[in-house]
Amino acid sequence: MLEFILERGNYWAIIGLMMIGLYTLFAATNLIKRLVGLSIFQTSIILFYISLSRIDGGTAPILYGKDAKGHGGGHGEEAAAGHAAEATHGAADAAHGAASHGMAHIYSNPLPHVLMLTAIVVGVATLAVGLAIVVRIREAYGTIESDEIRQMDLDVALAEYAEDHSGEANPA
Amino acid sequence: MTGYEGADLAIALINVVLLGLLFVIGIAIARMRSLFAIVMLSGIYSLISATWFVAVDAVDVAFTEAAVGAGISTALLLGAMLLTSRTAKPEKKAMSLVPLLVVIATGAMLVYATIDLPAFGDPESPANTYVGTDYIERTPEDIGVPNLVTAVLASYRGFDTLGETGVVFAAALAVILLLGFGERSLASSVGSRRGREK
Amino acid sequence: MSQKTDHHVILRIVAKPLIPIIALFGFYVHFHGDYSPGGGFQAGCIIAVSVILYSLIFGIAPAMRAVPPAFTRSLAALGFLIFGGVGVWALLMGGNYLDYDALFNEPPGGHDGQHYGILMVELGVLFAVAGSMLSIFYAFAGRVTEIKDEDW
């Protein structure tokens, strides 16, 4: 039971972070605070993906030692070295064979790293667009509180409606 | 799986400390009203999450998060804050109950879903076995570059990166369309300030 | 804001030697990206940050004189063009789009095409990201601020 919790506690902590971001996104009326909440939400998704890519006993996905020298040929040699390393490391590296065949070391999965790396950069770019829209809203309305903006829109719409209605009602 | 022992225990401790710090900062951001403090805390949040990425072996992601999340996005948030306002309005208590319920419901559903997820650090999880392992094995033969992340980013998934670069470029165009190039408004701001001083 | 105030003198002295080192580090991150963490995205952001630091300390107008906004937005477009151009180059050499093996028509097993292809593509990413981030920063910083320096 304790092992089960330890293995999944990471996910639960990340879900907690996501809940904080989502709450800020929902509850805050200030638009900049909302965007900060959105970026917390986004960071928690990135944390989740990266935690899925981790492998026990693995290292950063940069080839080193014997793996880095293996340009093309010598694949059998590498595999032999890998098996020798496996034998010396013993039971702790029981996962070795499944994780990376023919590699002298275990590396964590590079694919989620690549996807999240680009997601971070694109996240900042979209944050910049959001902030630019907030700046324009501030210039048009004089406030960045969403409830005040909604109230202003409602007032304007009501005034326009009343004007149109009075124009129609008078001749009749 | 033999649980956490030795080096794994240290990783687990670092995990707990860093995620706890992130949690505290997140709560502080949710409760604060000074926008300057919120922006600065979001920069600290990015920096601590970058440290966490190093602890789970994602060095390239950590580098990006430190350069982009803690550097540029803090500068942009500060710039936008200077153009808008310094404090947020306090939230109404009755209004914040509904979001809280929605968030707790979402979190409970996600926690229910994690029961089926593979364990943290499981080398035989579906995410770590098929295509990810292929990239690791083939890179020395196909690409000949030691950094696997660069190999996958630029070569195997070049189309993906081309699209991402396009998105960044399009975002810059969108900001320019919304706010102007900056040079003309700079000239007018200097002019108006001089006019005001007279 | 534009006139020099005396109480920022330490900041200016410390930042002046730091800024070229930051930019140099950006290029190191790019050209060493094959062997260590880093690449075009990170290098572009670091180079953009060095210019942003300059403009925060010395004012936005000197920064715009040193790195004009027209240059940054053409840099962004040029970077995207380099990335797409490498793909077209591979097409012209008879390969698929962005297939770096076809760049120099090497025999199988050679890695020169992959090495130079990755370097060029990352250079395109560097230009695009640095140019885009600086254009975005100039767009925000070039506006009239609501909060004056005296309010802090």
Side-chain angles (χ1 to χ4, degrees):
Chain A
M1 184 64 202
L2 183 67
E3 195 179 336
F4 183 82
I5 290 174
L6 276 180
E7 280 167 352
R8 281 159 187 78
N10 225 297
Y11 302 137
W12 297 339
I14 290 166
I15 288 171
L17 292 175
M18 188 224 74
M19 285 162 68
I20 293 172
L22 194 61
Y23 176 78
T24 314
L25 194 56
F26 270 145
T29 52
N30 188 292
L31 293 176
I32 286 190
K33 197 175 170 185
R34 270 191 179 178
L35 282 175
V36 172
L38 187 67
S39 74
I40 289 180
F41 189 94
Q42 186 187 10
T43 308
S44 74
I45 306 285
I46 292 168
L47 292 172
F48 177 70
Y49 267 75
I50 296 299
S51 75
L52 279 183
S53 81
R54 198 185 104 85
I55 292 176
D56 272 341
T59 180
I62 297 172
L63 300 174
Y64 71 102
K66 289 195 188 69
D67 299 335
K69 295 187 186 86
H71 279 244
H75 206 69
E77 199 184 327
E78 269 174 47
H83 285 303
E86 195 177 349
T88 53
H89 285 176
D93 284 1
H96 190 111
S100 49
H101 300 276
M103 286 282 157
H105 309 280
I106 307 174
Y107 301 101
S108 56
N109 189 357
L111 183 56
H113 295 187
V114 173
L115 300 178
M116 291 306 108
L117 193 153
T118 45
I120 291 172
V121 179
V122 168
V124 167
T126 50
L127 177 75
V129 176
L131 287 173
I133 293 172
V134 170
V135 168
R136 292 310 297 256
I137 287 174
R138 170 69 172 76
E139 283 170 5
Y141 288 86
T143 177
I144 54 166
E145 305 288 338
S146 60
D147 51 349
E148 287 174 16
I149 292 167
R150 202 181 303 124
Q151 190 61 43
M152 275 183 193
D153 273 349
L154 198 65
D155 290 346
V156 169
L158 281 176
E160 275 176 4
Y161 179 78
E163 203 172 294
D164 289 353
H165 226 65
S166 65
E168 282 164 18
N170 276 345
Chain B
M1 297 297 294
T2 50
Y4 293 97
E5 279 171 357
D8 281 351
L9 185 72
I11 293 281
L13 270 178
I14 293 170
N15 244 329
V16 169
V17 169
L18 290 180
L19 286 175
L21 270 175
L22 287 180
F23 209 78
V24 169
I25 293 170
I27 299 263
I29 288 175
R31 294 186 57 86
M32 276 202 173
R33 284 184 48 219
S34 162
L35 282 183
F36 183 67
I38 287 175
V39 169
M40 279 300 147
L41 280 176
S42 86
I44 295 170
Y45 186 92
S46 288
L47 213 54
I48 290 178
S49 60
T51 321
W52 189 83
F53 290 141
V54 175
V56 293
D57 302 333
V59 281
D60 278 88
V61 184
F63 203 159
T64 319
E65 181 74 39
V68 181
I72 296 214
S73 85
T74 309
L76 289 181
L77 278 167
L78 272 180
M81 194 204 78
L82 284 176
L83 293 174
T84 51
S85 71
R86 290 169 65 190
T87 50
K89 256 187 10 178
E91 289 117 36
K92 294 184 197 92
K93 280 282 167 287
M95 285 290 287
S96 66
L97 194 67
V98 180
L100 198 64
L101 287 177
V102 171
V103 165
I104 286 174
T106 315
M109 276 191 277
L110 286 174
V111 168
Y112 176 64
T114 56
I115 293 170
D116 285 341
L117 274 181
F120 179 62
D122 184 4
E124 299 190 32
S125 67
N128 291 337
T129 40
Y130 301 104
V131 66
T133 326
D134 270 8
Y135 283 139
I136 295 176
E137 283 168 19
R138 288 187 188 177
T139 298
E141 256 176 279
D142 287 354
I143 319 280
V145 163
N147 189 349
L148 297 169
V149 174
T150 302
V152 178
L153 179 88
S155 191
Y156 285 116
R157 292 189 168 245
F159 268 76
D160 210 344
T161 312
L162 178 66
E164 309 278 5
T165 314
V167 169
V168 173
F169 181 57
L173 285 184
V175 171
I176 285 172
L177 282 174
L178 281 164
L179 294 182
F181 290 127
E183 41 200 3
R184 198 173 46 193
S185 48
L186 181 76
S188 73
S189 83
V190 171
S192 71
R193 195 165 293 147
R194 274 188 197 141
R196 219 178 292 149
E197 275 163 12
K198 278 172 194 170
Chain C
M1 226 181 283
S2 55
Q3 77 262 25
K4 295 205 169 172
T5 44
D6 275 329
H7 54 273
H8 287 158
V9 67
I10 293 176
L11 215 55
R12 286 205 178 88
I13 300 294
V14 171
K16 211 176 256 180
L18 217 55
I19 288 166
I21 293 174
I22 293 173
L24 198 64
F25 179 64
F27 281 109
Y28 164 78
V29 166
H30 169 252
F31 286 105
H32 215 250
D34 290 358
Y35 304 98
S36 62
F41 284 107
Q42 294 93 331
C45 287
I46 290 170
I47 288 168
V49 159
S50 70
V51 179
I52 289 175
L53 180 65
Y54 182 80
S55 76
L56 286 181
I57 287 172
F58 294 93
I60 188 74
M64 278 190 182
R65 237 177 293 127
V67 186
F71 172 72
T72 63
R73 52 182 187 263
S74 2
L75 193 69
L78 177 73
F80 194 46
L81 209 62
I82 288 176
F83 202 140
V86 172
V88 174
W89 179 9
L91 274 186
L92 290 179
M93 296 302 282
N96 288 320
Y97 193 72
L98 287 177
D99 179 8
Y100 310 133
D101 281 330
L103 286 183
F104 301 117
N105 275 332
E106 302 173 275
H111 293 309
D112 278 356
Q114 291 285 351
H115 273 298
Y116 289 109
I118 288 177
L119 211 59
M120 273 181 290
V121 158
E122 295 265 16
L123 196 69
V125 171
L126 178 141
F127 284 173
V129 170
S132 303
M133 292 300 168
L134 277 177
S135 304
I136 291 172
F137 176 74
Y138 279 157
F140 278 104
R143 299 225 132 203
V144 190
T145 52
E146 295 288 330
I147 304 173
K148 300 283 177 295
D149 260 9
E150 298 85 79
D151 295 346
W152 289 100

